[in-house]
Amino acid sequence: MRPRSGPTVEHRVLAARLRMLRERAGVSLQAASVALGAHPATVRRIEHAETGLDAHQVRVLLERYAVSAEEAEPIMAGIAAANLPGWWHAWRDAMDPWQQEVIGIESSAALVRAWHPALVPELLRTPAYEAALCRSLTADPPPRRDRHLELLAERQRRIEARGAALWALFPAAALRTTVGGPSVMAGQRAVLEEAAHRRHLTVQVVPLDAPPHPMTGVSPLHLLRVPAPEIGDRAVLETAGARVDIIDEPAVVMHYRVRLDSACAAAPHPGSPLPEGGPGSGNP
């Protein structure tokens, strides 16, 4: 069973290495499972980070793959750290399974790109803006909403603390959608205006009178890049009915990256003044 808090990137890296070592050795899932005395599904779950790493099982697999002691040593040494729960484990009561999957990757991402077709992207939201959205769009009880706000604040803090780049694109219509009232919107706008002075943060706003662009009509999207060769980029696409697709197929991820690149190229340059006239802007 997949760890309840979702696998960490360290866990994913070791799992991917075990798969690559098996494939390099030309050993099938069936043959690897025979070495373990287990079902092939057990090996598959190990390689997909869907179960904790057992040191004995890993050692047996490495021996079956004829991995040298020099190459096996860092893998064995990394098992304990890989099995530790992620920092987000403390908030698992306020998370859906897909959120655990996403935050597990986001927590080590060097670059997070975000698009939202109607609202300020999540990782740029103020607590007041997010709280107002939760009250309007969910039926969560206040304690769960509070935990969600704590988690979002911690995600934002950690991204900034490790110097990860956050690049967000959204339409000016988001600044005209009143979330929580004028004072909430004024606070949100101030944060967005201040973003132009932050080194690792890029914000682009598509004007109301802009023509259609490659992201027009696309659901909320996040692209996550982790600086580990064993882990490919991920696209996280939120679709109708609260469905979330976590995409790791390179061709599909590239498709969304190209569309987002094109939309960003067509949008005003980062650092351009925010459009005026929205709620809390102080303009009529």
Side-chain angles (χ1 to χ4, degrees):
M1 180 176 295
R2 176 168 297 195
R4 288 189 62 193
S5 61
T8 62
V9 165
E10 292 80 6
H11 188 170
R12 291 176 185 277
V13 167
L14 286 191
R17 286 180 183 170
L18 288 172
R19 175 183 56 78
M20 289 187 287
L21 289 169
R22 176 179 62 78
E23 293 173 348
R24 186 184 72 182
V27 177
S28 67
L29 282 173
Q30 179 66 38
S33 68
V34 169
L36 284 183
H39 193 277
T42 299
V43 180
R44 185 196 64 78
R45 291 172 61 208
I46 291 172
E47 293 182 352
H48 286 79
E50 293 175 350
T51 185
L53 293 170
D54 178 84
H56 172 70
Q57 289 183 326
V58 172
R59 189 176 297 281
V60 169
L61 291 174
L62 293 176
E63 291 175 354
R64 177 64 181 84
Y65 306 155
V67 176
S68 69
E70 181 180 9
E71 193 172 6
E73 182 180 355
I75 295 175
M76 296 302 301
I79 290 176
N83 281 332
L84 292 175
W87 63 261
W88 58 93
H89 182 79
W91 283 276
R92 66 191 184 281
D93 59 307
M95 301 166 66
D96 294 324
W98 70 266
Q99 291 175 306
Q100 298 178 30
E101 182 89 4
V102 171
I103 294 175
I105 301 170
E106 178 191 278
S107 66
S108 295
L111 172 62
V112 179
R113 300 182 65 184
W115 153 259
H116 201 292
L119 299 168
V120 174
E122 184 180 31
L123 290 171
L124 287 174
R125 294 172 187 168
T126 66
Y129 184 99
E130 182 68 7
L133 273 182
C134 288
R135 289 193 297 269
S136 299
L137 302 180
T138 75
D140 290 343
R144 182 178 171 88
R145 290 202 302 263
D146 291 343
R147 294 284 286 161
H148 170 78
L149 293 175
E150 290 176 7
L151 175 61
L152 178 57
E154 184 65 12
R155 290 167 63 195
Q156 293 170 335
R157 186 192 70 79
R158 287 177 177 268
I159 286 176
E160 182 172 9
R162 70 172 185 271
L166 173 59
W167 186 351
L169 176 72
F170 59 96
L175 300 177
R176 291 177 174 265
T177 300
T178 304
V179 176
S183 63
V184 171
M185 293 303 298
Q188 180 65 73
R189 186 182 182 91
V191 167
L192 295 173
E193 289 174 338
E194 186 266 340
H197 307 290
R198 292 167 61 182
R199 179 180 176 187
H200 299 289
L201 184 54
T202 301
V203 175
Q204 290 181 275
V205 181
V206 181
L208 290 173
D209 58 355
H213 55 81
M215 293 301 292
T216 299
V218 177
S219 299
L221 173 75
H222 280 81
L223 293 177
L224 307 173
R225 172 164 293 174
V226 176
E230 298 87 352
I231 299 181
D233 293 357
R234 298 292 197 277
V236 183
L237 187 68
E238 301 177 31
T239 54
R243 176 183 170 187
V244 176
D245 292 325
I246 303 173
I247 304 165
D248 59 6
E249 185 178 344
V252 180
V253 176
M254 177 63 73
H255 166 77
Y256 282 112
R257 183 186 303 124
V258 169
R259 292 183 68 165
L260 188 55
D261 284 346
S262 298
C264 288
H269 191 273
S272 299
L274 294 179
E276 296 185 351
S281 67
N283 298 302

